[in-house]
Amino acid sequence: MLRVDSLSVNYGAIRALKDVSLRVAPGEIVALIGANGAGKSTLLKSISGIIPVRSGNIVFQGENITGWPSHRIVKVGIVQVPEGRRIFANLTVEENLLLGGVALRDRRLLKTTLEEAYDLFPRLRERRAQSGGTLSGGEQQMLSLARGLIARPRLLLLDEPSLGLAPKLVEQIFQRIADLRAQGLTILLVEQNAAAALKIADRAYVLETGATTINGPAADLLNSPAVKTAYLGV
Amino acid sequence: MDFAVHHVTYVCILLMLTGGLSLIHGRTGLLSIGHAGFWAVGAYTAGFVINRLAPDLLAADATAGSRLLSVAAFAAAVVCAMLAASLCGLLVGVPCLRLRGDYLAIATLGFSEIIRVVIVNAESLGGAAGMRVPAVVCVGDTRRFVFAGIAAAGAAFSLLMVRNLLSSTHGRALISIREDEVASQLLGVNVTRYKVVSFVFGAALAGLAGAVYAAYMGYLAPREFGFMKSVELLLMVVLGGIGSLTGTVLATVALYIIPEALRFAEWSVPVWSLTDAGWRRGSVELAELWMVVYAIILIVMMLLRPQGLLGSWEISRLWKKPNQRPDATG
Amino acid sequence: MDFFLEQLGNGLSKGSIFALIAVGYTMVYGVIRLINFAHGEFVMVAAFAGYFCLGALPPSAMPMQGYWALGASMALATACAVLTAGVLAVAVERAAYRPIRKAGRIAALLTAIGVSLFLQNFGIQVVGASDRAFMQERQLPRRVSALSLYKPGDIPPADIYVLHEWPDAATDLEIAFRAGEAIKPEDLADLQSQGVHMVFSLCPMTDGLKRWIIISALAACCLFLHCLVRYTAFGRSMRAVSYDIEGAQFMGVNVNRVISLTFFIGAAIGGLGGVLLALFYNTLDPLMGLIPGLKAFIAAVLGGIGSVPGALLGGLLLGVVEDLVVAYGHFELGSTKFNLTTYRDAVAYTVLITILLLRPQGILGRERAQKL
Ligand SMILES: Nc1ncnc2c1ncn2[C@@H]1O[C@H](COP(=O)(O)OP(=O)(O)OP(=O)(O)O)[C@@H](O)[C@H]1O
Ligand SMILES: [Mg+2]
């Protein structure tokens, strides 16, 4: 479904990604783990077309989307739930959700997906008229996730969805992610919480200072000694 | 020949202004689009002082004593002008420098416009009609040479002071502010103090320029000190290279000479103009198009080379060893 | 009291114009943090577009009569002005601002100053530096009537002119009877002997009428902007871009298009302001955008830059304050006499510096932490 071929990305003179390759098959959850500053967010942002690619290719469903502007990428069905939630505090909860659907042309479809999102997260319906900035951290994460789903993505890129949440909420979020996959959504998941991510993922990649070092079935990585010592804290 | 001397004097006055502005803008990243305001303060202070101290010391039958007195009056005018301008710099600088770059720019613009309105309305300063400044220092044929010398000395003084200020540790602190204000604050650089000092110093040099201008021209008109003048000065600093004194000097000279040369050349170019009756073909002298060209140069420069022609290159690099570069940035 | 109301009305109409121009500054600053120095020149270009459109299609050439013709002609001129300003702004954004969007605020401000200088001086080259009357008397709409309706001894309330041909837009005005003077029998007979059958009077643009036009234009724009910003997808996207550009990109917002449209709308409303400015003072020249532009910018800062209601409020406030200072600026404190009436232009700048020092975020603006 998504194929990233030897991708390199620079920030000015600093190379953030070098020759990263990655595959995501339809219906999979692929986890991407790595230390802080390894380049995980950079990879997701370049897939979303937010930072320019220096070399390499990104192919989505057979179409080469390298260098496309971000709004076209959202239109073809790659939606990212960004790191740090990025809720618009000057918009209400409902406006935040509607903004997630800017790529949708069809007004009626937008209405129904909005209702679906409210059904999925009833908490948000209660707070629809409230400013996005006044939500609690957990509610904001839900809003961010719900907003990502509004556009009916085919591939969801999740950047650290568990960041800053209490363990109970983390569990809930991972449950939601598993549910979404069960409904047929393909997911590329970036996580600091490597253990939890590897448990729900099918396959996983480890990113180290801008390059992929290990990849394979998630279960194998969960048991691999190298991954265990470096990322699982065992 | 006479004309050449006039141009030299004028360029030297401009150099005092752009040198100070280069210190303010080039080295701290602060943008002042009201520099002509400080110039006006200097010029009118000097004009006022000269009018008070030396109304007509240099009449045809002037004695040696009154000649000496007129030189003293000019010196007093220079000192007062510099003090007044730096006081204004302090007045604007202290409260405004905590504003962000673009806001500061607008605040300086507001300040200089206030100065202009006050001058236009002040009867003791001649109002809109302008102010006459009696001759000081000397009269007669040698006058323009004497003033060319004074202006050149003033320009040399200004540029040397700016250069020294920049290559000292102080200057390094200023550059670090330009590169990253927050970081230099964390490193213990007293950012506000450095900003205020460079601002006040730049203003004082503008005051000096004003005093020389007032005494040389003998007449001050408020419209000379308007917003457009500030923009012109700023362009000289920006085009030459933000942070390069060499660039500032070159750009000042070039941007002064080019329109003068065009006027001299009297080239005409065809233009279309729009009248009430429709489009009409005509021709205009290239010198009159200069401001249009000027604006295009500025825009193209920003698009292609926002750091200015020379960037932060200094001519002194030609003879300094590489490791002694005063502003080698990482 | 009448004097006060008069001043207030004057201040409000000038303030409304500031407000209309200020909207463009605030919208653009809101989305890309650029002080668009060239905005005042967009206003100027719009006024000229309106002027030339009015010259080509004056009220006297409209198929209607009287004030209907004036309204139709003004509407056409305004539409032309608004479109011109919008298109110009989009072109300038595309050519000059977009390429340097990441180069920092100072570079952007300098580019904007460059564009402003360019438009001013290019304008001087194209249309000349001298000022023109926006609406000339012979363009004013006419109310035609038959000469036979006038009897000796009638006192016409306005000047009556001879109509030579029907319709005649171009000929100069030839007076038949003067306003306020009783019609003499011999004048009437003289005209009849010349074969004149029709006469007309002009529908003048009075100050009161201008005031109503300006204030209702502002009200209409307020309503339009409110609906646009609050209830449309574009408004949502615009607010999102102004809060967090990258965040908006994640959502799939076409940021470039939002910015272009913001420039378009801001300049279009400024263009309306330009036509009204030319109408209010009945004059226009290539430098006319500079001072009102600066004052409108000050109004935007006063209201809170980035906030559309702030710009509207700031504009009105600034207009009123300026006029009141001028109207009531001469007073005595103890034995010293103060006369501020000639300091009109300093008022705005003083307001600017005061607000920057005391409350840089403006009246309605929200404080925003500097991004580290
Ligand atoms: N805008 C930027 N400009 C310059 N360098 C950047 C920028 N964004 C990220 N970097 C650098 O690129 C590298 C990779 O950053 P990235 O955000 O992709 O890391 P990450 O793997 O997502 O880390 P984390 O787990 O902390 O989110 C880091 O060294 C970072 O400092
Ligand atoms: Mg990250």
Side-chain angles (χ1 to χ4, degrees):
Chain A
M1 186 171 214
L2 177 77
R3 210 179 73 222
V4 174
D5 288 328
S6 54
L7 188 75
S8 296
V9 170
N10 275 27
Y11 288 116
I14 305 161
R15 169 147 300 190
L17 291 180
K18 36 187 177 282
D19 277 341
V20 172
S21 298
L22 171 145
R23 297 231 174 327
V24 182
E28 267 191 319
I29 296 186
V30 172
L32 186 63
I33 57 178
N36 289 116
K40 307 180 296 291
S41 302
T42 305
L43 177 57
L44 290 201
K45 281 186 192 172
S46 45
I47 294 174
S48 280
I50 286 174
I51 44 182
V53 168
R54 190 182 166 82
S55 65
N57 280 319
I58 304 168
V59 179
F60 180 66
Q61 296 190 320
E63 201 164 9
N64 190 337
I65 60 167
T66 324
W68 280 21
S70 51
H71 59 95
R72 268 184 83 190
I73 291 177
V74 172
K75 256 197 197 120
V76 296
I78 303 182
V79 174
Q80 180 166 171
V81 175
E83 185 176 12
R85 302 171 196 133
R86 306 294 269 267
I87 300 299
F88 299 99
N90 58 342
L91 268 58
T92 64
V93 168
E94 180 148 319
E95 285 172 336
N96 265 284
L97 288 170
L98 289 173
L99 195 68
V102 281
L104 288 185
R105 273 289 135 103
D106 186 347
R107 285 274 180 94
R108 238 172 322 151
L109 185 61
L110 186 58
K111 268 262 150 41
T112 48
T113 50
L114 184 66
E115 287 308 316
E116 280 170 24
Y118 281 144
D119 292 339
L120 204 57
F121 301 99
R123 234 348 218 290
L124 298 179
R125 180 176 278 134
E126 288 166 29
R127 307 186 175 250
R128 61 202 296 172
Q130 193 173 323
S131 142
T134 59
L135 295 184
S136 79
E139 288 164 346
Q140 285 192 0
Q141 188 60 59
M142 289 182 186
L143 176 56
S144 184
L145 192 58
R147 195 175 59 176
L149 294 173
I150 288 272
R152 298 250 165 127
R154 299 189 210 178
L155 170 64
L156 192 63
L157 311 177
L158 294 173
D159 198 346
E160 305 205 17
S162 71
L163 188 76
L165 298 185
K168 187 122 188 254
L169 265 174
V170 175
E171 215 171 281
Q172 267 184 30
I173 290 276
F174 277 98
Q175 187 53 50
R176 286 283 159 84
I177 295 171
D179 291 348
L180 288 172
R181 195 265 297 271
Q183 289 162 23
L185 191 60
T186 313
I187 294 169
L188 176 56
L189 170 68
V190 164
E191 259 300 331
Q192 284 293 332
N193 191 340
L198 290 176
K199 264 181 211 136
I200 61 163
D202 301 304
R203 289 187 307 112
Y205 290 80
V206 175
L207 204 59
E208 254 172 52
T209 55
T212 40
T213 48
I214 313 174
N215 69 72
D220 292 2
L221 262 70
L222 206 50
N223 296 321
S224 128
V227 175
K228 262 186 178 164
T229 47
Y231 300 106
L232 301 177
V234 197
Chain B
M1 180 63 207
D2 288 353
F3 235 58
V5 178
H6 169 75
H7 291 321
V8 167
T9 315
Y10 203 88
V11 165
C12 287
I13 291 172
L14 285 179
L15 281 176
M16 295 180 230
L17 292 165
T18 52
L21 195 58
S22 174
L23 179 73
I24 296 179
H25 179 46
R27 297 301 175 136
T28 65
L30 300 173
L31 188 72
S32 160
I33 47 181
H35 208 56
F38 297 122
W39 188 28
V41 168
Y44 273 89
T45 308
F48 187 77
V49 168
I50 294 175
N51 267 313
R52 277 294 158 90
L53 296 183
D56 41 18
L57 287 176
L58 293 183
D61 54 346
T63 61
S66 67
R67 286 219 179 102
L68 207 61
L69 266 181
S70 91
V71 173
F74 176 64
V78 167
V79 172
C80 289
M82 288 180 78
L83 280 179
S86 25
L87 194 69
C88 285
L90 198 66
L91 222 62
V92 181
V94 170
C96 291
L97 285 173
R98 52 189 181 80
L99 300 172
R100 259 195 333 254
D102 43 2
Y103 272 90
L104 174 86
I106 300 297
T108 54
L109 166 61
F111 160 77
S112 71
E113 282 297 298
I114 291 177
I115 297 265
R116 202 180 50 81
V117 175
V118 167
I119 290 173
V120 167
N121 282 294
E123 271 165 37
S124 56
L125 297 178
M131 178 193 224
R132 238 186 46 75
V133 183
V136 281
V137 182
C138 81
V139 286
D141 291 343
T142 50
R143 180 170 185 274
R144 62 168 57 87
F145 293 100
V146 170
F147 270 96
I150 292 175
F157 166 78
S158 306
L159 294 178
L160 275 175
M161 290 300 281
V162 170
R163 207 200 66 171
N164 286 344
L165 208 56
L166 291 176
S167 50
S168 66
T169 40
H170 181 102
R172 254 176 287 238
L174 292 184
I175 291 162
S176 83
I177 295 171
R178 196 183 78 209
E179 299 300 329
D180 187 345
E181 174 153 351
V182 177
S184 42
Q185 218 148 21
L186 295 178
L187 289 175
V189 177
N190 187 340
V191 174
T192 309
R193 215 192 86 203
Y194 281 116
K195 278 183 174 181
V196 171
V197 167
S198 56
F199 208 74
V200 168
F201 199 78
L205 292 183
L208 174 63
V212 176
Y213 180 81
Y216 171 63
M217 298 300 275
Y219 170 72
L220 300 173
R223 65 171 177 282
E224 283 296 305
F225 305 95
F227 168 58
M228 285 312 300
K229 200 69 182 193
S230 297
V231 171
E232 239 172 82
L233 295 173
L234 188 66
L235 292 196
M236 290 168 173
V237 172
V238 170
L239 291 188
I242 300 176
S244 160
L245 200 54
T246 313
T248 300
V249 173
L250 288 180
T252 305
V253 175
L255 290 183
Y256 178 76
I257 285 181
I258 293 172
E260 293 296 328
L262 287 181
R263 206 163 297 157
F264 192 72
E266 292 182 1
W267 284 325
S268 68
V269 283
V271 288
W272 290 90
S273 58
L274 188 57
T275 64
D276 289 351
W279 290 96
R280 183 171 302 157
R281 216 185 126 96
S283 74
V284 65
E285 270 189 27
L286 197 54
E288 281 186 51
L289 282 180
W290 170 238
M291 285 307 288
V292 180
V293 178
Y294 212 44
I296 293 175
I297 293 176
L298 175 64
I299 298 170
V300 171
M301 176 73 116
M302 283 295 128
L303 291 178
L304 301 182
R305 214 178 140 76
Q307 70 274 42
L309 271 184
L310 294 191
S312 56
W313 185 86
E314 292 290 358
I315 195 161
S316 56
R317 287 200 188 168
L318 290 180
W319 56 82
K320 272 196 183 141
K321 282 182 216 143
N323 59 359
Q324 286 178 339
R325 283 177 191 176
D327 58 355
T329 46
Chain C
M1 196 60 203
D2 271 359
F3 177 70
F4 175 77
L5 286 180
E6 177 74 25
Q7 292 305 319
L8 194 67
N10 212 37
L12 279 178
S13 28
K14 225 173 45 175
S16 302
I17 297 175
F18 290 159
L20 289 172
I21 303 175
V23 166
Y25 280 109
T26 232
M27 285 174 71
V28 165
Y29 193 89
V31 292
I32 52 171
R33 306 287 179 273
L34 163 75
I35 298 177
N36 180 15
F37 230 88
H39 187 61
E41 275 59 52
F42 298 164
V43 168
M44 174 272 289
V45 171
F48 270 96
Y51 169 83
F52 284 110
C53 182
L54 204 62
L57 299 165
S60 48
M62 290 286 120
M64 314 79 157
Q65 273 231 31
Y67 281 107
W68 289 107
L70 183 63
S73 185
M74 283 293 293
L76 281 177
T78 308
C80 177
V82 160
L83 276 178
T84 309
V87 170
L88 176 67
V90 169
V92 165
E93 192 273 330
R94 191 66 246 269
Y97 298 159
R98 191 178 297 179
I100 53 134
R101 208 181 282 157
K102 294 204 172 69
R105 289 166 179 233
I106 299 291
L109 183 61
L110 286 168
T111 309
I113 291 178
V115 173
S116 161
L117 272 182
F118 173 78
L119 289 175
Q120 280 171 15
N121 290 289
F122 192 69
I124 290 179
Q125 285 311 322
V126 172
V127 299
S130 57
D131 55 352
R132 306 163 185 236
F134 180 66
M135 190 171 262
Q136 283 130 25
E137 203 159 46
R138 58 180 183 79
Q139 290 180 342
L140 286 173
R142 298 162 180 205
R143 236 187 305 242
V144 178
S145 53
L147 183 64
S148 53
L149 291 178
Y150 293 89
K151 304 272 172 301
D154 284 355
I155 301 177
D159 287 346
I160 308 288
Y161 303 90
V162 175
L163 186 73
H164 287 286
E165 265 173 56
W166 172 261
D168 71 338
T171 48
D172 279 335
L173 299 174
E174 182 186 334
I175 228 154
F177 316 119
R178 291 197 182 281
E181 289 175 18
I183 295 176
K184 290 183 203 123
E186 61 268 25
D187 286 352
L188 205 56
D190 193 29
L191 283 173
Q192 277 161 347
S193 73
Q194 282 173 32
V196 173
H197 299 295
M198 305 294 274
V199 289
F200 65 89
S201 60
L202 295 178
C203 306
M205 254 310 187
T206 59
D207 285 353
L209 182 60
K210 287 181 184 174
R211 211 168 278 171
W212 280 112
I213 293 175
I214 290 170
I215 291 177
S216 38
L218 178 74
C221 280
C222 284
L223 192 67
F224 167 74
L225 282 170
H226 178 76
C227 296
L228 182 82
V229 173
R230 281 290 133 209
Y231 304 119
T232 65
F234 166 72
R236 266 196 308 274
S237 302
M238 195 182 83
R239 280 180 287 151
V241 170
S242 82
Y243 187 77
D244 176 0
I245 287 197
E246 199 183 87
Q249 282 180 315
F250 278 121
M251 300 298 104
V253 172
N254 185 345
V255 170
N256 281 334
R257 200 170 64 193
V258 168
I259 291 174
S260 286
L261 251 172
T262 305
F263 266 87
F264 184 89
I265 293 171
I269 291 178
L272 174 60
V275 171
L276 297 178
L277 190 68
L279 181 73
F280 185 70
Y281 292 110
N282 200 34
T283 164
L284 73 173
D285 68 275
L287 298 184
M288 68 182 280
L290 186 62
I291 299 294
L294 276 176
K295 287 188 181 165
F297 171 74
I298 293 170
V301 174
L302 175 65
I305 196 147
S307 148
V308 173
L312 299 169
L313 177 71
L316 286 176
L317 259 180
L318 189 65
V320 170
V321 168
E322 244 190 31
D323 258 37
L324 292 187
V325 167
V326 173
Y328 294 97
H330 39 90
F331 52 89
E332 286 177 38
L333 256 182
S335 60
T336 357
K337 275 196 183 131
F338 286 88
N339 187 353
L340 299 179
T341 49
T342 51
Y343 284 81
R344 178 200 296 274
D345 286 336
V347 172
Y349 302 110
T350 314
V351 166
L352 170 75
I353 291 184
T354 317
I355 194 89
L356 282 182
L357 297 182
L358 300 183
R359 197 179 154 83
Q361 74 273 31
I363 300 172
L364 297 185
R366 251 176 271 147
E367 197 136 21
R368 196 192 286 268
Q370 189 185 357
K371 277 189 189 147
L372 293 186

Short mmCIF file of all heavy atoms in Angstrom, two decimals, chain B residues 163 167 314-327:
data_model
loop_
_atom_site.label_atom_id
_atom_site.label_comp_id
_atom_site.label_asym_id
_atom_site.label_seq_id
_atom_site.Cartn_x
_atom_site.Cartn_y
_atom_site.Cartn_z
N ARG B 163 33.11 50.48 13.56
CA ARG B 163 33.92 49.28 13.35
C ARG B 163 34.51 48.80 14.66
O ARG B 163 34.51 47.61 14.97
CB ARG B 163 35.04 49.59 12.36
CG ARG B 163 35.49 48.35 11.62
CD ARG B 163 36.86 48.56 11.04
NE ARG B 163 37.84 48.69 12.10
CZ ARG B 163 39.14 48.71 11.88
NH1 ARG B 163 39.59 48.64 10.65
NH2 ARG B 163 39.98 48.82 12.87
N SER B 167 34.07 45.16 16.49
CA SER B 167 35.07 44.11 16.64
C SER B 167 35.44 43.87 18.10
O SER B 167 36.19 42.96 18.40
CB SER B 167 36.31 44.45 15.81
OG SER B 167 36.70 45.76 16.12
N GLU B 314 33.66 41.56 5.07
CA GLU B 314 34.28 42.86 5.31
C GLU B 314 35.56 42.95 4.50
O GLU B 314 36.26 41.96 4.32
CB GLU B 314 34.62 43.04 6.80
CG GLU B 314 33.42 43.15 7.70
CD GLU B 314 32.66 44.47 7.54
OE1 GLU B 314 33.08 45.32 6.74
OE2 GLU B 314 31.62 44.62 8.20
N ILE B 315 35.88 44.15 4.09
CA ILE B 315 37.08 44.31 3.27
C ILE B 315 38.32 43.95 4.08
O ILE B 315 39.32 43.47 3.54
CB ILE B 315 37.17 45.75 2.71
CG1 ILE B 315 38.20 45.80 1.59
CG2 ILE B 315 37.46 46.76 3.79
CD1 ILE B 315 38.04 46.99 0.70
N SER B 316 38.23 44.10 5.40
CA SER B 316 39.39 43.81 6.24
C SER B 316 39.78 42.34 6.16
O SER B 316 40.88 41.96 6.52
CB SER B 316 39.11 44.21 7.68
OG SER B 316 37.95 43.56 8.11
N ARG B 317 38.88 41.50 5.66
CA ARG B 317 39.23 40.09 5.55
C ARG B 317 40.35 39.87 4.54
O ARG B 317 40.99 38.84 4.54
CB ARG B 317 38.02 39.29 5.10
CG ARG B 317 37.04 39.17 6.21
CD ARG B 317 36.13 38.02 5.95
NE ARG B 317 35.08 38.05 6.93
CZ ARG B 317 34.00 37.32 6.84
NH1 ARG B 317 33.85 36.50 5.82
NH2 ARG B 317 33.10 37.37 7.77
N LEU B 318 40.53 40.85 3.66
CA LEU B 318 41.56 40.68 2.65
C LEU B 318 42.94 40.64 3.29
O LEU B 318 43.86 40.03 2.77
CB LEU B 318 41.50 41.82 1.64
CG LEU B 318 40.28 41.81 0.72
CD1 LEU B 318 40.33 42.98 -0.23
CD2 LEU B 318 40.21 40.51 -0.05
N TRP B 319 43.11 41.34 4.40
CA TRP B 319 44.45 41.36 5.00
C TRP B 319 44.50 40.74 6.40
O TRP B 319 45.52 40.68 7.02
CB TRP B 319 45.04 42.77 5.00
CG TRP B 319 44.18 43.80 5.67
CD1 TRP B 319 44.11 44.04 7.00
CD2 TRP B 319 43.30 44.71 5.04
NE1 TRP B 319 43.23 45.04 7.25
CE2 TRP B 319 42.71 45.48 6.05
CE3 TRP B 319 42.93 44.95 3.71
CZ2 TRP B 319 41.77 46.46 5.79
CZ3 TRP B 319 42.01 45.94 3.46
CH2 TRP B 319 41.43 46.69 4.49
N LYS B 320 43.38 40.28 6.88
CA LYS B 320 43.41 39.61 8.19
C LYS B 320 43.54 38.12 8.00
O LYS B 320 43.05 37.56 7.03
CB LYS B 320 42.14 39.91 8.96
CG LYS B 320 42.24 41.18 9.77
CD LYS B 320 41.16 41.24 10.80
CE LYS B 320 41.27 42.57 11.55
NZ LYS B 320 39.97 43.13 11.84
N LYS B 321 44.23 37.48 8.96
CA LYS B 321 44.29 36.02 8.89
C LYS B 321 42.89 35.46 9.17
O LYS B 321 42.15 36.03 9.96
CB LYS B 321 45.28 35.50 9.94
CG LYS B 321 46.72 35.67 9.48
CD LYS B 321 47.64 35.09 10.54
CE LYS B 321 48.91 35.91 10.66
NZ LYS B 321 49.39 36.02 12.02
N PRO B 322 42.59 34.33 8.56
CA PRO B 322 41.23 33.81 8.68
C PRO B 322 40.78 33.64 10.13
O PRO B 322 39.64 33.90 10.46
CB PRO B 322 41.30 32.46 7.97
CG PRO B 322 42.49 32.52 7.10
CD PRO B 322 43.43 33.52 7.69
N ASN B 323 41.70 33.22 11.03
CA ASN B 323 41.24 32.94 12.39
C ASN B 323 41.02 34.21 13.19
O ASN B 323 40.61 34.16 14.34
CB ASN B 323 42.22 32.01 13.11
CG ASN B 323 43.60 32.64 13.18
OD1 ASN B 323 43.83 33.74 12.68
ND2 ASN B 323 44.53 31.93 13.81
N GLN B 324 41.30 35.36 12.58
CA GLN B 324 41.06 36.60 13.32
C GLN B 324 39.77 37.27 12.92
O GLN B 324 39.49 38.37 13.35
CB GLN B 324 42.21 37.57 13.07
CG GLN B 324 43.47 37.16 13.80
CD GLN B 324 44.59 38.11 13.50
OE1 GLN B 324 44.56 38.82 12.50
NE2 GLN B 324 45.58 38.13 14.37
N ARG B 325 39.02 36.60 12.05
CA ARG B 325 37.78 37.22 11.61
C ARG B 325 36.91 37.60 12.79
O ARG B 325 36.64 36.76 13.64
CB ARG B 325 36.99 36.26 10.74
CG ARG B 325 37.58 36.17 9.37
CD ARG B 325 36.85 35.16 8.56
NE ARG B 325 37.61 34.92 7.36
CZ ARG B 325 37.28 34.02 6.45
NH1 ARG B 325 36.21 33.27 6.65
NH2 ARG B 325 38.00 33.86 5.39
N PRO B 326 36.54 38.86 12.83
CA PRO B 326 35.78 39.29 14.00
C PRO B 326 34.39 38.68 14.08
O PRO B 326 33.86 38.53 15.16
CB PRO B 326 35.70 40.81 13.81
CG PRO B 326 35.90 41.04 12.36
CD PRO B 326 36.78 39.94 11.88
N ASP B 327 33.85 38.32 12.94
CA ASP B 327 32.46 37.85 13.05
C ASP B 327 32.28 36.50 12.36
O ASP B 327 31.30 36.28 11.67
CB ASP B 327 31.49 38.89 12.48
CG ASP B 327 31.80 39.19 11.03
OD1 ASP B 327 32.81 38.67 10.53
OD2 ASP B 327 31.06 39.95 10.42
#
